[in-house]
Amino acid sequence: MRKPEYHVTRSESLIFERSRPGRRAYSLPPLDVPETALEQLIEKRFLRSGPIEGMPELSEVDVVRHYTRLSRWNYAVDLGLYPLGSCTMKYNPKLNEKVARFDGFINHHPYTPEELSQGSLQVIKWLEELLCEITGMKAGTLIPAAGAHGELTGLMLIRACLQSRGNPRKKVLIPDSAHGTNPASATVCGYGVQTIRSNERGLVDVEALRRAMTDEVAALMLTNPNTLGLFEEEIEEIVRIVHDAGGLVYMDGANFNAFLGIARPGDMGIDVIHLNLHKTFSTPHGGGGPGAGPVFVGETLEPFLPVPRLVRTTEGTVRLDFDRPQTIGRIRAFYGNFGVLVRALCYILTLGADGLREVAEAAVVNANYIAHHLKDTYDIPYPGGIMHEVIFSDKWQRPYGVRNVDIAKRLIDYGFHPPTMSFPLIVPGALMVEPTDTECREELDLFIEAMKAIARECRENPDLVRHAPHTTRIGRLDEVTAARKPVLRWRPAEPTSGAEQSR
């Protein structure tokens, strides 16, 4: 079995435990000016009366080696396959990072007057126009800071539109294969939520949708492709049913990378969609951001978009337009997460139309490659029409007493980040794998070999899997207790030798 060369095997003591009295990471030369007492420069109330208790004392090399060793514990998409489903953890071109760090961008203060901000405003407007073309939508706003923020913004647009017609209505329909943030966004927007169950193929049950559509329904909130990795084949009929009853269709576009450059939501009749630029296009993400969740709308919802809107003048400049009588108002300060917008624009211009289409094709091919090679090893509850991600279950491993969490933990020993687990909720023991478009065949084969090896271990030595991981500094945690009763207090350990500290 091949394994990546890098992996988390080294233990490392805390920097406080590495402290040795008297060690310093610096030395200052003698003063060449008269010395002045601190009390003459800083008010006494701001000065400490004694040393800082417990501060570590180390040399420069101690500090550098400590943090270098810690950095090798990280698992990142720049090291290998990062198979989180629905999060599209793909490699981000470093060119985009470089462009986003241009001095003109990073030093541009958001309070700079409009006439002096034309470069940045042109970037935002250009990206907005390109994304309208890519999605087939009429207009958009790039201000929302992340996907869930985009969801809330889109639902606020729907509510404002329906309110202008005299009745905002009471509830939003959400398929059980939608992203987990959808019900929360609808609730925050003041709507009740009604779940639409999937049919036996994992797609929206069209007849159930038809029965649920009443004059109380404001919108259908549809994730497409859904969290089973399946494209809604009857999307045009779904849209027609909702529109005929006076509702609007919201598409969660977090999985847009599955059909990017191939089909457009606007051509399907979608009224509003948010994109996750940090997933579909470019920006390293995870750990809470930064992100960007721009929202794009059809003609019906355009008057309600947040302010400021960016408008091109006849002179070719871009101005901020606040004169929008039906707008939902401001949803955030300034213009959005600008650095993420720059990366997305750079990504689109670098790849071009053909390249964007290849992104979707490669993502779909990679997911199907993994599904094909593991279909006899792991249960695939909804095997038809897999798009960018494939959902396995632990159904065939459960008879050996092994659950999906055990398989995920054992993957760490084989050098991979675990996939998304236990989601979507309609698949018991789910393992959601999204290889993304940027993985080569050799890396996919390595992952497949690891999954097959774990399945073999489940049969021959299930305890090995149940007690994984075995190669990390900390083994299996009681994750519920760790989350609900965290112990965050540090106490100094007894001094140990350098060799012991590095073990």
Side-chain angles (χ1 to χ4, degrees):
M1 175 58 61
R2 293 173 292 163
K3 295 175 69 175
E5 293 179 356
Y6 42 82
H7 201 276
V8 181
T9 57
R10 186 187 297 272
S11 184
E12 179 76 9
S13 53
L14 298 176
I15 191 133
F16 298 93
E17 295 166 342
R18 305 188 70 81
S19 175
R20 293 292 179 272
R23 285 196 184 172
R24 293 288 183 272
Y26 66 92
S27 60
L28 299 177
L31 288 175
D32 58 358
V33 295
E35 184 172 345
T36 302
L38 279 179
E39 291 77 3
Q40 298 178 24
L41 302 173
I42 302 174
E43 291 182 44
K44 187 176 181 180
R45 61 193 177 99
F46 295 126
L47 295 177
R48 292 192 182 90
S49 58
I52 304 174
E53 185 178 356
M55 283 294 289
E57 299 178 65
L58 302 118
S59 68
E60 178 178 318
V61 71
D62 288 337
V63 175
V64 169
R65 287 178 178 173
H66 172 72
Y67 286 107
T68 300
R69 284 192 289 261
L70 287 182
S71 72
R72 292 172 62 84
W73 291 8
N74 293 334
Y75 191 86
V77 74
D78 285 355
L79 291 175
L81 174 64
Y82 204 128
L84 278 184
S86 261
C87 259
T88 317
M89 302 293 283
K90 66 184 182 182
Y91 176 79
N92 290 276
K94 299 305 174 246
L95 172 65
N96 304 348
E97 295 299 307
K98 185 176 181 61
V99 174
R101 286 170 170 76
F102 282 175
D103 288 345
F105 291 148
I106 63 174
N107 292 324
H108 178 212
H109 195 283
Y111 276 129
T112 304
E114 184 178 304
E115 61 273 20
L116 300 178
S117 302
Q118 283 301 304
S120 296
L121 294 179
Q122 292 280 1
V123 164
I124 299 173
K125 188 61 180 174
W126 192 6
L127 178 60
E128 177 188 319
E129 292 166 347
L130 287 173
L131 290 173
C132 282
E133 174 63 24
I134 290 170
T135 58
M137 306 301 283
K138 170 75 173 178
T141 173
L142 307 189
I143 297 175
H149 193 194
E151 292 175 24
L152 179 61
T153 302
L155 288 167
M156 291 170 67
L157 297 174
I158 289 174
R159 189 179 190 90
C161 175
L162 295 176
Q163 182 68 61
S164 73
R165 297 175 182 176
N167 180 8
R169 301 193 172 190
K170 296 181 178 177
K171 60 184 176 182
V172 172
L173 304 181
I174 301 179
D176 58 8
S177 59
H179 277 128
T181 48
N182 290 182
S185 297
T187 302
V188 171
C189 198
Y191 284 114
V193 172
Q194 181 176 337
T195 301
I196 303 295
R197 291 192 178 279
S198 301
N199 62 22
E200 68 283 357
R201 298 175 57 209
L203 302 173
V204 169
D205 186 328
V206 174
E207 291 308 314
L209 172 64
R210 203 187 309 277
R211 291 192 297 272
M213 278 305 304
T214 68
D215 58 7
E216 289 189 342
V217 175
L220 170 70
M221 205 171 183
L222 186 72
T223 300
N224 195 21
N226 63 30
T227 56
L228 294 168
L230 307 176
F231 190 87
E232 295 292 346
E233 297 173 2
E234 298 187 80
I235 182 65
E236 291 182 333
E237 178 63 9
I238 290 170
V239 170
R240 192 185 64 77
I241 292 171
V242 177
H243 284 174
D244 285 352
L248 297 165
V249 180
Y250 182 104
M251 181 181 284
D252 182 322
N255 293 340
F256 188 48
N257 64 314
F259 60 97
L260 174 67
I262 297 174
R264 305 194 307 171
D267 298 337
M268 303 171 195
I270 301 301
D271 296 295
V272 54
I273 180 175
H274 87 266
L275 303 178
N276 289 56
L277 297 187
H278 49 289
K279 294 181 180 179
T280 301
F281 296 95
S282 178
T283 285
H285 69 286
V295 171
F296 299 90
V297 299
E299 193 168 349
T300 303
L301 295 176
E302 194 274 341
F304 306 95
L305 282 170
V307 289
R309 296 290 313 285
L310 268 60
V311 179
R312 286 199 186 279
T313 68
T314 53
E315 294 80 24
T317 60
V318 175
R319 67 179 179 84
L320 302 175
D321 183 9
F322 291 87
D323 186 17
R324 299 276 171 168
Q326 291 184 289
T327 178
I328 61 172
R330 274 189 179 274
I331 57 170
R332 185 174 190 273
F334 308 117
Y335 321 123
N337 282 334
F338 182 71
V340 182
L341 307 183
V342 173
R343 292 178 178 94
L345 178 62
C346 191
Y347 185 87
I348 293 169
L349 296 178
T350 303
L351 291 176
D354 292 340
L356 293 179
R357 183 186 180 95
E358 287 180 18
V359 166
E361 292 172 342
V364 173
V365 167
N366 281 357
N368 279 273
Y369 185 81
I370 288 178
H372 173 76
H373 285 280
L374 291 179
K375 62 182 171 57
D376 297 326
T377 307
Y378 291 89
D379 172 54
I380 302 178
Y382 296 98
I386 291 170
M387 297 290 285
H388 63 301
E389 61 193 6
V390 53
I391 313 298
F392 299 105
S393 87
D394 61 10
K395 181 179 179 182
W396 295 350
Q397 284 71 41
R398 262 180 268 158
Y400 304 102
V402 176
R403 301 171 300 152
N404 59 340
V405 63
D406 304 318
I407 297 168
K409 297 291 187 186
R410 183 61 176 148
L411 263 174
I412 297 173
D413 290 335
Y414 282 88
F416 290 100
H417 192 285
T420 297
M421 286 198 322
S422 305
F423 187 79
L425 300 178
I426 55 177
V427 176
L431 290 157
M432 178 191 278
V433 176
E434 181 177 1
T436 79
D437 55 287
T438 47
E439 297 303 334
C440 64
R441 182 171 178 173
E442 291 77 14
E443 185 71 8
L444 298 178
D445 286 340
L446 203 61
F447 178 77
I448 291 166
E449 288 178 27
M451 289 290 284
K452 286 184 174 179
I454 294 171
R456 189 164 54 250
E457 291 169 352
C458 291
R459 297 190 302 272
E460 299 173 355
N461 187 5
D463 277 349
L464 179 67
V465 182
R466 280 198 293 265
H467 296 134
H470 303 283
T471 58
T472 52
R473 180 172 186 257
I474 298 174
R476 185 75 67 96
L477 294 171
D478 179 344
E479 295 180 351
V480 175
T481 301
R484 296 182 179 177
K485 298 179 181 178
V487 179
L488 304 176
R489 186 174 178 179
W490 172 78
R491 294 184 178 85
E494 293 295 325
T496 55
S497 69
E500 289 174 325
Q501 289 179 350
S502 297
R503 262 207 315 263

